[in-house]
């Protein structure tokens, strides 16, 4: 797969509030965390202050409460529209950024049946069929709140496999049984709305 250069849509990133902390979907190992680190690198070379939440909605609440200065949300997230509609938030920009490589991973020593159950976040679920090795078909999909949470379910053997990222697979000590590939993704950045006079 050809990797293209990232790019930015900057409506209020350059002239908006300085990036002091970034909220997004956790836990550690998610694509959102990697995207937040990419945004952070735009703001300088200080140690990153990335705060990870169980849901994008919780990260959005942290932005409204002033706990973070910026919010990063994947545009593949089905609920991203709610952030665009929120009068308390301001769309500040967006950027293209490839996710870490995704693949199907298994806990070491776990025998994968020909019809495995697979944990996945809903957004990349379409990749399961693409990446599943020949001779296997999906028995059932189990949705998790993030790619890292999906990896944790496979680690605990609640599912046979997880569709997850390389960082999350490493964190949860899983092994890939499929090829891996990144997802070209648009990420939206929000800041608090400016107070009205």
């Amino acid at each position: 797969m050809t990797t293209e250069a990232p790019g930015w849509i900057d409506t209020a990133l350059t002239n908006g509030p300085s990036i002091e902390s970034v909220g997004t979907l956790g836990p550690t190992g998610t694509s959102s965390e990697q995207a937040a680190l990419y945004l952070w690198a735009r703001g300088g070379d200080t140690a990153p202050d990335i705060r990870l939440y169980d849901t994008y909605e919780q990260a959005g609440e942290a932005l409204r409460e002033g706990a973070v200065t910026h919010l990063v949300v994947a545009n593949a997230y089905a609920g991203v529209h709610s952030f665009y509609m929120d009068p308390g938030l301001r769309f500040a920009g967006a950027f293209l950024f490839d996710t870490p490589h995704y693949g199907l991973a298994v806990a070491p020593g776990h025998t994968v049946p020909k019809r495995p159950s697979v944990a996945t976040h809903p957004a990349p679920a379409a990749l399961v069929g693409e990446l599943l090795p020949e001779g296997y078909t999906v028995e059932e999909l189990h949705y998790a709140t993030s790619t890292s949470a999906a990896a944790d379910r496979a680690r605990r053997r609640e599912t046979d496999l997880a569709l997850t990222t390389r960082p999350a697979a490493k964190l949860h000590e899983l092994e890939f049984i499929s090829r891996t590939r990144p997802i070209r993704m648009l990420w939206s950045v929000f800041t608090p709305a400016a107070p009205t006079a």
Side-chain angles (χ1 to χ4, degrees):
M1 172 173 289
T2 302
T3 300
E4 300 173 23
W8 292 87
I9 299 171
D10 188 343
T11 62
L13 283 173
T14 301
N15 299 319
S18 61
I19 301 173
E20 298 175 5
S21 54
V22 181
T24 193
L25 179 66
T28 293
T30 61
S31 298
S32 299
E33 180 188 29
Q34 299 303 310
L37 287 167
Y38 182 74
L39 172 64
W40 183 272
R42 179 186 167 103
D45 57 1
T46 59
D49 184 356
I50 309 298
R51 302 184 190 180
L52 303 175
Y53 297 87
D54 290 341
T55 65
Y56 281 126
E57 285 71 21
Q58 290 177 4
E61 189 62 29
L63 179 64
R64 287 184 211 91
E65 294 174 350
V68 296
T69 61
H70 291 70
L71 167 68
V72 172
V73 181
N75 271 44
Y77 175 56
V80 70
H81 66 281
S82 65
F83 300 101
Y84 283 93
M85 302 301 133
D86 190 330
L89 304 182
R90 176 186 188 194
F91 173 70
F95 56 94
L96 287 172
F97 178 74
D98 287 351
T99 67
H101 280 236
Y102 276 75
L104 292 164
V106 62
H110 182 75
T111 301
V112 180
K114 290 295 184 185
R115 292 180 54 81
S117 57
V118 182
T120 179
H121 185 271
L127 291 182
V128 171
E130 174 190 323
L131 296 176
L132 201 61
E134 188 174 335
Y136 291 86
T137 57
V138 175
E139 172 70 23
E140 187 175 7
L141 292 178
H142 297 259
Y143 291 119
T145 56
S146 70
T147 53
S148 190
D152 186 53
R153 293 191 70 173
R155 180 188 61 81
R156 290 186 281 120
R157 300 179 188 234
E158 293 176 4
T159 60
D160 298 305
L161 297 170
L163 177 65
T164 193
T165 62
R166 278 189 180 161
K170 181 177 180 182
L171 179 69
H172 294 282
E173 300 179 336
L174 302 183
E175 301 169 348
F176 285 112
I177 67 158
S178 71
R179 66 182 177 86
T180 63
R181 75 166 179 92
I183 304 169
R184 175 121 282 216
M185 184 76 68
L186 182 67
W187 302 85
S188 292
V189 182
F190 298 91
T191 59
T196 55

